[in-house]
Amino acid sequence: MIKDMKDIVSLCKRRGFIFPASDIYGGINGFWDYGPLGTELKNNIRDLWWKAMVLTPPVGPDGQPVQIVGLDSAIIQNPKCWEASGHIGGFNDPMVDCKETKKRYRADHLVAYVISHYMDDDQPELKLIPVFEQNTPEEEILKKFKKLGLGASTENYKVIPFMDIENYHYTNPDNDHGMLHLEEGKSILRLRKDKLVGPDVKIPDTLTEPKQFNLMFHTFVGANATEDDKAYLRPETCAGIFLNFKNIIDTARVKVPFGIAQIGKAFRNEVTPRNFIFRSREFEQMELEWFCEKEDAPQWFEFWVDQRKKWWESIGMDLSKFHFLDVEKADLAHYSDRTIDFEYQFPFAYPDYDELEGIAHRGNFDLTQHQEFSGQKLEYMDPSDNTKRYLPDVIEPSCGLTRAVLGVLSEAYTVDESRPSGVYLNFHPSVAPKKAAILPLTAKEEHVPIATKLYMDLREEFAIDLDVKQNIGKRYARQDEIGTPYCFTVDNQTLEDQTVTVRDRNTMTQERVNMDQVASYLRENLKPAKVMAKKEG
Ligand code: GAP
């Protein structure tokens, strides 16, 4: 069944995962607050990444665990850092404004519908060229065609990227009976920009030329708000790693190859924040910069692609819903020699995919730039060969933490009309905000103290919910919607034989276990191997 983003957003708000930031003031576009359960979910994903990278890093090709150390650098760095990284001056998206509606569009997200031929021999009068945002539904396109008198079908139209309009011309090849064809390059008649009709208007010529738009938020450091005091909120966390490269090799007893990992907030003044938390203006990243020798870089690239696949699987993501995009040379970021994007079938993209994580071979671009701009030597000296000094290459698995939260929520969201909630979150236990709930069957004197004691006994080891209010059906429904794997209920039989019922979230089956066995039951059933076996079986 196709999952609907609207339903996921609404469950997130209803159950306290994610709220619009400044909700009581009508929100602020591109910013989100994580509620009690969203915070725990996000922290779990964050901690699992940190564990997989820093606490128990993977075993390398030589059979030894690889070496990775952590870092927590400042969000605001010396502005020269962003000149060196290419963000000042280069970190832009091309934007188009509509003079009529004052709306702003990403130029590279717009397409133009251009008629592919005219039947007239004579110089044709160029018709209007409607422009749409990518993925505009067909019925909306046809509605607009009708309004503009362009006919009832798009059959004779060619869809071209808005950014390419400059390159398109009409040609009139002699051998083609005077038919005019649209081709790249050769020209008789250039496509006229004043014929373009923007997405939300009926009249032509309201769109501006694409302009570059800097995505970095700025602020002023200190009391004087002059241009000289201008500083930037980091648009990615990796910069702090490169700035500390020398500090770390001088102090942390690391030897190339090794990695530095960092998790933290990043800020981009995205022009079109969209799809819930997918593209927001304040978000979190989990980045590893893996430093290695140039000739070993291709091998480490493959290693990290493989490791990252395993990690996503270990937190319950279904790799069959991933697409691994080897980014074409022309589309690579300015620093990258090769990038593989891990794309996931997010509900808003279905049946397509959108980016969840990128793994890039950054060469030694960053260290070279920072060495040049800072004037400080950043070379690594090989301890086994004092004459060998070099700037190592970098492989960078870079993942959005908040985007991972959306991926995990989307994967877990499961419609099941047979249960009262109609839906449950099938979280892998490792990410579930609550591993179990303790529910006294009634709010009676006898049930509540036993449930509270059980909760107190378990909470040191597991994230446990104690839920006393409402009838038991409603409480099960809530636990299903927040994705709690197990519910333990204290009832009248508990008073007689010290057993409680345990309800499995996915199968809704119940069995009885002894109260003093609850901890070992959880230890056993929350084990990854057990979870995987259940999934397969
Ligand atoms: N250091 C490399 C870098 O930042 P990126 O592809 O721009 O590369 C890496 O970002 C990851 O950060 C993306 O794959 C995505 O998961 C996340 N990300 C980027 N922009 C985001 C945004 N506006 N909102 C949420 N996550 C974002």
Side-chain angles (χ1 to χ4, degrees):
M1 182 177 286
I2 301 169
K3 302 175 188 183
D4 194 326
M5 273 309 281
K6 262 198 336 288
D7 299 335
I8 296 177
V9 175
S10 126
L11 184 146
C12 282
K13 181 150 192 206
R14 189 169 69 247
R15 291 302 184 190
F17 282 91
I18 300 165
F19 310 116
S22 306
D23 207 5
I24 59 169
Y25 289 104
I28 168 166
N29 196 8
F31 297 87
W32 299 92
D33 292 340
Y34 289 74
L37 295 168
T39 306
E40 295 202 31
L41 172 63
K42 179 154 69 66
N43 288 352
N44 289 344
I45 299 173
R46 177 198 69 188
D47 294 347
L48 288 161
W49 187 92
W50 193 257
K51 180 163 191 303
M53 290 298 186
V54 182
L55 303 181
T56 58
V59 171
D62 63 356
Q64 296 300 313
V66 300
Q67 205 182 5
I68 301 179
V69 293
L71 177 75
D72 187 1
S73 70
I75 284 171
I76 294 179
Q77 300 283 352
N78 188 310
K80 274 198 186 148
C81 160
W82 310 115
E83 282 174 40
S85 66
H87 286 96
I88 295 180
F91 195 49
N92 297 316
D93 278 331
M95 299 308 307
V96 168
D97 287 328
C98 178
K99 289 179 266 186
E100 186 75 17
T101 61
K102 309 290 175 227
K103 281 199 180 168
R104 174 169 279 174
Y105 306 98
R106 278 272 298 265
D108 55 343
H109 287 177
L110 293 177
V111 290
Y113 277 61
V114 194
I115 197 153
S116 56
H117 64 265
Y118 283 91
M119 301 307 291
D120 268 338
D121 299 1
D122 297 331
Q123 187 74 300
E125 191 205 327
L126 255 183
K127 290 207 177 172
L128 297 175
I129 305 172
V131 174
F132 297 96
E133 287 191 274
Q134 266 167 2
N135 305 326
T136 303
E138 180 76 7
E139 67 264 23
E140 264 190 74
I141 293 175
L142 290 175
K143 235 192 256 167
K144 175 111 171 220
F145 264 57
K146 202 165 158 202
K147 276 190 196 141
L148 299 177
L150 297 175
S153 135
T154 55
E155 214 174 55
N156 290 330
Y157 285 77
K158 188 172 160 112
V159 185
I160 64 173
F162 181 87
M163 300 284 279
D164 288 356
I165 281 175
E166 287 283 14
N167 303 325
Y168 281 84
H169 309 268
Y170 282 99
T171 67
N172 188 356
D174 291 337
N175 61 358
D176 213 2
H177 315 293
M179 253 194 210
L180 287 165
H181 286 260
L182 191 69
E183 278 185 24
E184 279 176 78
K186 307 170 223 158
S187 69
I188 285 186
L189 192 62
R190 183 178 274 266
L191 279 187
R192 287 187 37 202
K193 290 223 179 116
D194 59 359
K195 297 288 180 187
L196 296 170
V197 187
D200 299 290
V201 289
K202 285 183 241 152
I203 48 169
D205 205 18
T206 66
L207 297 178
T208 62
E209 290 286 324
K211 280 195 300 257
Q212 296 300 318
F213 187 95
N214 196 299
L215 292 183
M216 278 197 299
F217 282 102
H218 68 253
T219 183
F220 296 98
V221 173
N224 299 330
T226 71
E227 269 304 292
D228 291 344
D229 306 305
K230 202 166 172 184
Y232 299 89
L233 305 194
R234 66 183 176 200
E236 51 183 8
T237 54
C238 62
I241 295 182
F242 298 120
L243 300 194
N244 282 287
F245 175 72
K246 196 164 163 17
N247 285 337
I248 287 176
I249 47 176
D250 288 349
T251 58
R253 305 168 74 81
V254 283
K255 264 178 31 196
V256 169
F258 74 96
I260 306 177
Q262 167 153 243
I263 300 176
K265 292 238 174 186
F267 303 82
R268 296 183 192 176
N269 196 1
E270 296 281 2
V271 179
T272 48
R274 64 171 80 192
N275 294 324
F276 193 26
I277 55 172
F278 177 80
R279 177 171 296 120
S280 38
R281 290 179 164 141
E282 176 177 340
F283 56 100
E284 281 174 74
Q285 286 186 315
M286 309 187 283
E287 298 201 294
L288 168 71
E289 307 302 312
W290 177 254
F291 299 93
C292 62
E293 294 207 40
K294 187 169 246 6
E295 59 267 29
D296 299 335
Q299 182 199 340
W300 284 115
F301 187 91
E302 298 303 335
F303 175 83
W304 283 112
V305 168
D306 190 45
Q307 291 302 322
R308 296 303 300 144
K309 283 184 187 170
K310 287 188 181 141
W311 184 80
W312 283 111
E313 224 173 4
S314 77
I315 65 164
M317 297 297 281
D318 177 357
L319 286 192
S320 73
K321 294 186 202 135
F322 278 59
H323 174 244
F324 302 97
L325 175 76
D326 214 330
V327 179
E328 288 198 19
K329 280 260 172 293
D331 298 333
L332 288 173
H334 59 285
Y335 51 75
S336 171
D337 290 343
R338 186 178 175 201
T339 296
I340 290 193
D341 282 343
F342 281 28
E343 299 183 317
Y344 175 69
Q345 210 165 46
F346 286 101
F348 62 80
Y350 184 89
D352 238 319
Y353 304 82
D354 216 326
E355 181 182 334
L356 188 53
E357 165 160 11
I359 302 187
H361 175 197
R362 297 177 76 111
N364 59 14
F365 170 83
D366 304 272
L367 291 178
T368 306
Q369 289 292 104
H370 291 303
Q371 177 165 274
E372 188 188 323
F373 278 70
S374 67
Q376 302 283 324
K377 280 256 166 281
L378 299 182
E379 284 170 334
Y380 172 76
M381 192 185 72
D382 190 328
S384 59
D385 173 0
N386 283 351
T387 57
K388 192 170 168 193
R389 288 169 182 274
Y390 61 99
L391 294 176
D393 265 30
V394 168
I395 306 297
E396 177 196 63
S398 168
C399 174
L401 169 56
T402 41
R403 209 173 267 189
V405 169
L406 183 59
V408 166
L409 279 165
S410 306
E411 180 78 32
Y413 189 89
T414 310
V415 174
D416 176 2
E417 274 148 19
S418 74
R419 61 179 78 204
S421 56
V423 63
Y424 66 105
L425 291 182
N426 181 14
F427 282 136
H428 187 280
S430 63
V431 293
K434 300 292 177 195
K435 311 302 176 199
I438 311 298
L439 314 173
L441 181 63
T442 63
K444 277 192 206 160
E445 259 312 279
E446 310 89 79
H447 296 164
V448 177
I450 300 174
T452 308
K453 175 162 188 324
L454 186 55
Y455 160 75
M456 293 299 284
D457 290 346
L458 294 169
R459 68 175 198 171
E460 287 296 325
E461 192 177 349
F462 307 99
I464 302 282
D465 203 17
L466 172 68
D467 194 355
V468 179
K469 293 214 182 80
Q470 288 188 310
N471 73 45
I472 192 75
K474 287 206 168 125
R475 280 180 284 159
Y476 282 147
R478 172 170 179 271
Q479 295 300 336
D480 280 352
E481 282 205 321
I482 69 173
T484 307
Y486 298 103
C487 289
F488 296 92
T489 303
V490 172
D491 56 15
N492 286 340
Q493 197 178 324
T494 313
L495 309 176
E496 286 159 24
D497 64 6
Q498 279 75 53
T499 63
V500 289
T501 62
V502 49
R503 175 183 179 273
D504 180 303
R505 175 194 64 201
N506 289 17
T507 60
M508 293 188 285
T509 52
Q510 298 198 17
E511 56 180 316
R512 292 200 81 89
V513 292
N514 223 296
M515 244 190 326
D516 59 12
Q517 298 295 309
V518 169
S520 55
Y521 182 97
L522 280 176
R523 251 174 249 135
E524 182 58 26
N525 283 279
L526 298 175
K527 274 186 190 157
K530 184 92 180 193
V531 174
M532 294 317 285
K534 267 196 181 173
K535 207 171 164 185
E536 277 148 25

